[in-house]
Amino acid sequence: MASMKTKLTTLLGTKIPIVSAPMYYASTPEMAAAATGAGAFGFIAAGFTPSTTLIKEIQAVRSILNTPPESPVPMGVGLLGWILDMTEESDDPRIPAVLAERPQAIWFAFGVDLGKYVKKVRAYDENRDHKTIIFVIVNNIDEAKRAVEEWKVDVLVVQGNEAGGHGRGDAPFLQTLLPSVLTAIPDSASRPVVLAAGGISTGTQIASFLTKHGADGVVIGSRLLCTPECMYPDQTKEVLLNSKLSCTIRSTVFDEVNRTAMWPEGIDGRAIVNDIVQDQKEGLSLDERLKRHDQSKANGDSGRLVIWAGDAVASINDKESTQSIIQKLYQEAVAVMAEK
């Protein structure tokens, strides 16, 4: 398969300008390895995962890809700033444990001060021959400027409102946000790699973001949720396979019933619309909504599952592998670009 040269592929040493998103409770070492094996670049997600487990997951990717022990693993680890605020002062700090395994990249998102964690990674790397590539999610221009001017990150992940899972509720949609960020951060040798993220599920979209909208690469997340490598259970995947356009909504209601309502101010989550939303519309108290949610879960019902997903679910109509999906999307993008 022919490679494509962009700032992203040059930085990562990959063939394809695609990154698989770190999705907590969805991404797996197998998904990350499959993405990298397809010529793209894969991530796992840390969340609250203990460092011992994270180490095993990174080592699993190393093993699958047959990466020598002395070499960086061609994959990344996604870390949440607000969780790091708790873990890095505990007896199980995640950052040093992860960095010791030499993943090629770290992805930071959603914290009051992500800059202090960027500095920790840079300080750690000063004492070794490996420089970790740092990705940071941004949802608005101010975040983008801070990440570039103050933190000097390597990769900006510009995440639009249509993205699945968590993000700022007031984030513009990607086609509005991306050009605004690029205008605010003029192109230069020092500008970081810029990725487009949110609702991307077709090769045509990828071609458009690369050729018309100025992105150096794209992030794929929700499109991979029905792959064999995704840890979502079969019941959840069946819901996704039957989902259509406009079947997701961004709200705090999902975290409320999921008992995970501790995200930073302004951050909510996009998930599949179901009875969780209807319960809120009926004006039920949180206690009543929790009871309904717990009872549905106990009964094995799918009507109140919390299913984090974005607008890309409209393109999910199969259970193909991560590698197959990424390669097909890339081939479609190349074909579209060749027609221009």
Side-chain angles (χ1 to χ4, degrees), residues 110 137-139 157-161 163-164 166-168 171-172 174 177 197-198:
F110 315 128
I137 276 190
V138 297
N139 290 144
V157 181
V158 181
Q159 183 194 53
N161 193 284
H166 290 83
R168 291 198 64 84
L174 183 56
L177 178 60

Side-chain angles (χ1 to χ4, degrees), residues 4 25 63 93-94 157 166 196 219 254 268 281 285:
M4 180 184 295
Y25 290 124
S63 176
R94 307 307 198 265
V157 181
H166 290 83
V219 178
F254 304 106
D268 58 18
K281 288 181 178 180
S285 68

Side-chain angles (χ1 to χ4, degrees), residues 50 70 135 173:
E70 67 278 5
F135 290 58
F173 284 92

Side-chain angles (χ1 to χ4, degrees), residues 233-254:
D234 289 341
Q235 183 185 35
T236 297
K237 291 179 180 179
E238 286 304 315
V239 173
L240 289 169
L241 284 169
N242 290 301
S243 297
K244 296 179 174 59
L245 191 63
S246 302
C247 68
T248 67
I249 190 173
R250 186 168 286 285
S251 174
T252 59
V253 66
F254 304 106

Side-chain angles (χ1 to χ4, degrees), residues 220-282:
I220 302 296
S222 296
R223 180 64 184 90
L224 304 176
L225 291 177
C226 281
T227 63
E229 296 83 15
C230 176
M231 72 168 68
Y232 272 4
D234 289 341
Q235 183 185 35
T236 297
K237 291 179 180 179
E238 286 304 315
V239 173
L240 289 169
L241 284 169
N242 290 301
S243 297
K244 296 179 174 59
L245 191 63
S246 302
C247 68
T248 67
I249 190 173
R250 186 168 286 285
S251 174
T252 59
V253 66
F254 304 106
D255 278 309
E256 289 171 355
V257 299
N258 207 33
R259 295 175 173 86
T260 51
M262 67 281 285
W263 290 76
E265 183 178 357
I267 303 297
D268 58 18
R270 183 174 290 280
I272 298 293
V273 176
N274 55 21
D275 290 338
I276 293 173
V277 177
Q278 184 58 38
D279 291 342
Q280 185 192 48
K281 288 181 178 180
E282 291 177 11

Side-chain angles (χ1 to χ4, degrees), residues 135-155:
F135 290 58
V136 169
I137 276 190
V138 297
N139 290 144
N140 58 43
I141 294 174
D142 288 341
E143 291 176 348
K145 285 185 173 180
R146 192 177 184 193
V148 174
E149 296 170 4
E150 296 181 27
W151 306 340
K152 312 296 184 184
V153 302
D154 302 300
V155 182

